Amino acid sequence: MRAMRYELSHLDMLEAESIHIMREVAAEFERPVLLFSGGKDSIVMLRLAEKAFWPAKPPFPLMHVDTGHNFAEVIDYRDRRVAEVGLRLVVASVQQAIDEGKIDDETGPRASRNQLQTAVLLEGIEQNQFDAVFGGARRDEEKARAKERVYSFRDEFGQWDPKNQRPELWSLYNSRHKRGQHIRIFPLSNWTELDVWQYIDREEIEIPSIYFAHKRKVYRRDGMLLAFGPQVTLLDGEETVVETVRYRTVGDMSCTGAVLSGARTVTEIIDEVASTRITERGATRADDKVSEAAMEDRKREGYF
Amino acid sequence: MEMLRLATAGSVDDGKSTLIGRLLYDSKSIFEDQLESVERTSRQRGEEYTNLALLTDGLRAEREQGITIDVAYRYFATPRRKFIIADTPGHIQYTRNMVTGASTANVALILVDARKGVLEQSRRHAFLASLLRVPHLVLCVNKMDLVDYDRAIFESIRDEFKDFAAKLDINDLTTVPVSALNGDNVVTRSPNMTWYEGTSLLHYLEDLHIASDRNLIDVRFPVQYVVRPMHNAFHDYRGYAGTVAAGVLKAGDEVMVLPSGLTSTVESVDTFGGSVDEAFPPMSVTVRLTDDLDISRGDMLCRPHNVPAVGQDIEAMVAWMTDQPKLRPGQLLSLKHTTRQVRAKVMDLQYRINVTTLHRHEGVPHLGLNEIGRVRLRTTQPLFFDEYRRNRVTGSFILVDEASGTTAGAGMIIRS
């Protein structure tokens, strides 16, 4: 591709926009925090934050909402990366909230801690008085997200009101909020799944091993391949099989599906993503399959 | 691969959703599960065709009421470009939404139905695109299949629209006859309209030269954040982080700092990857100067012989985006311009413009939701600005209602 003078590639433009947003937040908010799960989107976010403030460290801590059902490879990665950048990590633990009796764990074979994350996330925000919360959500992920602003305002209850969003013009972001309210910030709003992978490739960023093809004991439920583990109770007729799979998203083990794949490098993942015909969340997230507006409903309550 | 931002305007009846659906589908950006979900919902409702509007209408209220509430962002890519579509509804709150979508667009796409011709709504959309100074405007005359691909009909619509556009500030207007439903002239040239000598819509969007739309002349660098590492490796580092709003900055350039008026020289333009030779819009960089000056967020770097206007009195076209409160003289608002946050008092509301007839109504008491008018403001601190027609970054601002916190107005500076 010819590179004209004063021309930027789409990745350069997306990067510039995300960095602009991060600097704006650092300048206008008192206590920002970046949600970091070790998933690919938050990995890209952390790299962008490093870039935005270099040679200084990003002026905010990281937070992970830990469901207690995470993939071990991802937690290892998370801790290694946090040590590398030298930032403080706040862990908001779902298990701890359950142990303290603040929330009830779901029971039964279809139990999921996905819903419980919202309460723990909101408590983490409140306890630490975070007023800006960076998330890695993208508008191409889901149709409710297609209409969400880069600065997504949340009231005292952490709720999102989709019909009453602030207009967002040019690159002028409105940071106004009262004490107790916060604003979710989505610097990757205009990125697609493919952009994220192309960026990981270009920047040569390390990612957790579960994104690459590996053999894993899985079982099939609701058309998805879910990881088998000690927390799983199989339903009648379900059985485990060993398959060569990889993950397209990283979330709670109980509701994040794997896809059959032989992709062992980032380049192979890019080829796979470019030719795939199913959306990222459609292929792999049981939590979105509950209803047409499942994501919107969870977002209203304060989900990521 | 370059990125192009497109704002679309029109109502469901114009076939806008079908056109977007066609672009997404033919570029393989609609996924099977999305299409299946839309087909299922369409069937449940007993609709005759798969309703592609359901692809973009994601909110529960929209699906229930069959309306589009808000600007939806859609993404697709061809091997040549990545596209971002800001899809704005035609009826409900059209001004607020279209102003939002158009504010960042390289191209505005306006749809008309070939059977109905240029409607009031088409004029409004053209006016808003010109007000927001979207550099390129495309008129798609849709549903050509329903008028037997008649050249005379197309040309009469094109000419009528051109007559209206001549009254507006529109630099570049292109007209394409299409049938979104059948795909005529959307991705490939249509064999049904051999009389049409232009390119298909997608080809036009892929080929359009947008690099020159940026202002590479007037150096404007609003300081966003001061980078001070506070660690030993970079003990004395002091850099000014920001996004280049206009012009080209490079090491060795003499710069003037506003508001102080002091001058210095660019020592280096830094990024995470190291220093770069040149910074140009919309790059996010960190600038170091040879002199130790007192510079903070909200200041601006420019060239000593090419400075923006500096002042507290501003005249602007303001699009008002809330009903509570209305904009009225005497009102105090919060104003954000580049990286500056000030307060502003509404000194005068000169007129309200009728966005369909372009008629100016003088002596109106206020601006309500979706109304646009010419306003005089006085700010508590000076702003460093250019006319919006010369620079969309240093010429734009938002007004925030301090009580509710909402973004109440969008302003485009005319002059000081």
Side-chain angles (χ1 to χ4, degrees):
Chain A
M1 196 101 341
R2 80 209 144 93
M4 298 272 292
R5 205 170 175 214
Y6 306 132
E7 244 174 51
L8 290 178
S9 73
H10 72 296
L11 290 180
D12 290 329
M13 285 184 84
L14 291 169
E15 179 188 74
E17 180 182 74
S18 303
I19 288 177
H20 177 84
I21 293 162
M22 288 187 165
R23 288 170 170 172
E24 217 38 32
V25 169
E28 291 201 326
F29 289 81
E30 302 269 322
R31 295 172 70 85
V33 66
L34 189 148
L35 294 176
F36 184 69
S37 63
K40 64 180 191 311
D41 302 308
S42 69
I43 289 170
V44 167
M45 293 270 289
L46 185 54
R47 167 54 58 95
L48 291 166
E50 283 185 285
K51 288 196 168 196
F53 304 99
W54 184 90
K57 282 186 211 170
F60 38 75
L62 309 174
M63 179 159 77
H64 181 215
V65 179
D66 183 345
T67 64
H69 291 168
N70 293 292
F71 295 95
E73 299 92 325
V74 177
I75 297 294
D76 287 349
Y77 173 89
R78 177 196 79 183
D79 293 341
R80 206 165 56 244
R81 194 73 184 97
V82 167
E84 239 170 62
V85 292
L87 293 176
R88 185 165 71 90
L89 174 72
V90 178
V91 177
S93 163
V94 173
Q95 188 61 52
Q96 194 183 332
I98 293 168
D99 294 344
E100 288 170 4
K102 289 176 180 159
I103 48 175
D104 293 324
D105 205 1
E106 287 186 17
T107 53
R110 288 182 171 274
S112 162
R113 289 188 169 177
N114 194 56
Q115 286 282 345
L116 304 180
Q117 289 183 91
T118 301
V120 175
L121 169 67
L122 293 177
E123 193 187 278
I125 292 168
E126 198 180 320
Q127 274 181 355
N128 293 280
Q129 293 173 297
F130 293 131
D131 54 1
V133 181
F134 286 110
R138 308 185 320 265
R139 288 182 181 136
D140 78 323
E141 274 179 87
E142 211 279 336
K143 46 192 180 293
R145 284 193 165 157
K147 302 203 170 180
E148 188 159 13
R149 305 291 188 256
V150 172
Y151 274 37
S152 184
F153 180 81
R154 304 303 164 106
D155 66 10
E156 292 80 350
F157 301 98
Q159 296 180 107
W160 179 54
D161 182 359
K163 280 207 273 184
N164 199 17
Q165 299 191 82
R166 294 172 178 175
E168 205 159 70
L169 299 105
W170 298 291
S171 48
L172 292 170
Y173 300 99
N174 176 358
S175 60
R176 202 164 182 95
H177 64 284
K178 298 196 177 89
R179 186 171 288 275
Q181 301 169 335
H182 71 274
I183 297 184
R184 298 284 172 88
I185 314 284
F186 300 117
L188 303 185
S189 287
N190 287 323
W191 297 54
T192 62
E193 185 186 11
L194 193 57
D195 296 330
V196 167
W197 281 114
Q198 287 172 343
Y199 191 74
I200 287 171
D201 189 38
R202 187 184 87 170
E203 301 286 311
E204 299 178 349
I205 311 173
E206 190 205 332
I207 52 171
S209 56
I210 66 165
Y211 280 116
F212 299 110
H214 58 283
K215 287 210 185 310
R216 183 178 287 271
K217 193 184 262 192
V218 293
Y219 62 101
R220 197 172 282 278
R221 182 178 290 175
D222 304 332
M224 292 193 309
L225 293 175
L226 296 172
F228 184 74
Q231 78 285 2
V232 175
T233 315
L234 293 178
L235 299 172
D236 278 350
E238 288 176 347
E239 55 187 46
T240 63
V241 280
V242 174
E243 296 277 16
T244 302
V245 298
R246 68 173 207 88
Y247 284 86
R248 274 175 82 184
T249 68
V250 164
D252 188 276
M253 281 175 85
S254 66
C255 66
T256 306
V259 292
L260 294 174
S261 167
R264 292 181 191 280
T265 63
V266 174
T267 316
E268 285 171 15
I269 291 175
I270 290 172
D271 288 343
E272 189 185 284
V273 169
S275 61
T276 188
R277 305 298 311 130
I278 306 275
T279 60
E280 179 182 335
R281 295 197 77 92
T284 63
R285 297 302 280 257
D287 42 340
D288 290 339
K289 295 206 164 173
V290 180
S291 79
E292 272 296 338
M295 173 65 101
E296 181 186 344
D297 293 344
R298 275 180 295 130
K299 287 192 76 66
R300 280 171 179 277
E301 291 164 11
Y303 187 72
F304 300 110
Chain B
M1 190 163 70
E2 261 187 320
M3 193 159 90
L4 183 138
R5 292 175 195 254
L6 175 70
T8 58
S11 67
V12 181
D13 318 330
D14 301 326
K16 183 183 56 148
S17 299
T18 317
L19 181 68
I20 292 174
R22 171 68 59 185
L23 285 170
L24 296 177
Y25 190 77
D26 287 353
S27 65
K28 301 190 168 38
S29 304
I30 292 178
F31 296 100
E32 279 169 14
D33 56 324
Q34 289 176 314
L35 198 62
E36 267 169 32
S37 148
V38 165
E39 280 170 350
R40 200 165 50 232
T41 308
S42 266
R43 264 200 312 277
Q44 270 167 14
R45 293 177 170 190
E47 287 164 344
E48 213 168 305
Y49 299 101
T50 297
N51 183 354
L52 286 172
L54 293 170
L55 275 171
T56 46
D57 294 345
L59 302 175
R60 188 188 288 279
E62 293 176 321
R63 291 173 162 256
E64 283 168 4
Q65 297 165 38
I67 52 161
T68 307
I69 289 174
D70 216 304
V71 186
Y73 293 89
R74 289 271 145 201
Y75 303 84
F76 74 99
T78 67
R80 297 175 62 187
R81 266 191 181 155
K82 172 185 165 101
F83 296 91
I84 301 179
I85 305 180
D87 182 20
T88 60
H91 299 312
I92 306 206
Q93 302 217 336
Y94 59 86
T95 300
R96 170 181 151 144
N97 286 315
M98 181 155 172
V99 165
T100 301
S103 71
T104 52
N106 305 106
V107 184
L109 193 155
I110 296 174
L111 251 90
V112 299
D113 184 329
R115 295 168 305 173
K116 296 179 188 158
V118 180
L119 302 177
E120 266 197 11
Q121 175 177 287
S122 332
R123 296 172 199 272
R124 290 198 295 253
H125 293 153
F127 170 70
L128 293 175
S130 81
L131 182 71
L132 272 291
R133 298 207 63 81
V134 181
H136 309 275
L137 187 63
V138 191
L139 177 74
C140 278
V141 180
N142 191 23
K143 307 199 183 180
M144 286 301 293
D145 54 316
L146 299 181
V147 295
D148 297 325
Y149 301 106
D150 186 351
R151 177 180 190 163
I153 290 181
F154 168 72
E155 285 178 350
S156 113
I157 291 172
R158 181 194 65 194
D159 294 345
E160 188 189 347
F161 191 83
K162 270 193 176 161
D163 283 347
F164 179 73
K167 297 185 214 162
L168 304 169
D169 219 349
I170 290 171
N171 290 332
D172 178 30
L173 171 65
T174 303
T175 316
V176 187
V178 300
S179 163
L181 194 66
N182 299 336
D184 292 296
N185 286 337
V186 178
V187 173
T188 50
R189 289 267 313 262
S190 165
N192 297 316
M193 289 176 272
T194 46
W195 46 264
Y196 170 67
E197 287 166 0
T199 62
S200 73
L201 175 63
L202 184 65
H203 191 262
Y204 165 83
L205 294 173
E206 282 186 312
D207 229 29
L208 181 64
H209 181 63
I210 51 171
S212 306
D213 298 338
R214 289 168 304 173
N215 179 330
L216 294 172
I217 313 272
D218 314 310
V219 172
R220 302 287 185 264
F221 186 77
V223 175
Q224 200 182 5
Y225 189 88
V226 181
V227 177
R228 307 221 44 197
M230 313 282 188
H231 58 78
N232 287 334
F234 294 92
H235 193 74
D236 294 322
Y237 190 97
R238 188 181 173 87
Y240 305 105
T243 305
V244 184
V248 180
L249 262 179
K250 54 184 185 296
D253 282 352
E254 195 186 7
V255 289
M256 179 182 272
V257 186
L258 295 174
S260 71
L262 297 172
T263 55
S264 182
T265 305
V266 175
E267 169 139 8
S268 74
V269 180
D270 295 346
T271 66
F272 181 76
S275 299
V276 291
D277 293 340
E278 294 178 308
F280 50 90
M283 284 171 72
S284 285
V285 296
T286 302
V287 175
R288 280 188 300 132
L289 302 179
T290 51
D291 302 280
D292 216 356
L293 303 177
D294 178 17
I295 299 173
S296 50
R297 174 175 165 85
D299 291 0
M300 184 182 280
L301 304 184
C302 57
R303 301 275 274 157
H305 300 294
N306 180 343
V307 293
V310 178
Q312 290 171 260
D313 293 295
I314 305 228
E315 270 192 45
M317 294 302 289
V318 169
W320 199 246
M321 301 185 288
T322 179
D323 233 348
Q324 206 43 265
K326 294 184 184 337
L327 176 139
R328 50 179 100 237
Q331 193 173 24
L332 214 51
L333 294 150
S334 177
L335 182 153
K336 188 171 180 182
H337 170 260
T338 65
T339 55
R340 287 214 129 192
Q341 187 96 43
V342 300
R343 294 179 96 194
K345 188 173 183 178
V346 180
M347 304 304 288
D348 188 22
L349 170 55
Q350 287 153 295
Y351 57 80
R352 184 180 69 210
I353 193 154
N354 179 316
V355 296
T356 310
T357 62
L358 309 184
H359 185 77
R360 296 170 179 185
H361 300 271
E362 291 179 22
V364 291
H366 49 67
L367 287 182
L369 174 65
N370 292 323
E371 293 183 334
I372 294 170
R374 181 161 171 157
V375 173
R376 206 152 52 76
L377 299 166
R378 182 161 176 87
T379 58
T380 50
Q381 303 286 325
L383 301 182
F384 321 125
F385 60 92
D386 297 283
E387 282 186 47
Y388 184 74
R389 54 176 302 139
R390 184 148 183 100
N391 190 318
R392 282 169 103 189
V393 181
T394 56
S396 57
F397 59 85
I398 56 169
L399 294 165
V400 174
D401 172 43
E402 296 185 351
S404 65
T406 194
T407 306
M412 288 136 281
I413 298 172
I414 299 169
R415 61 183 171 85
S416 57

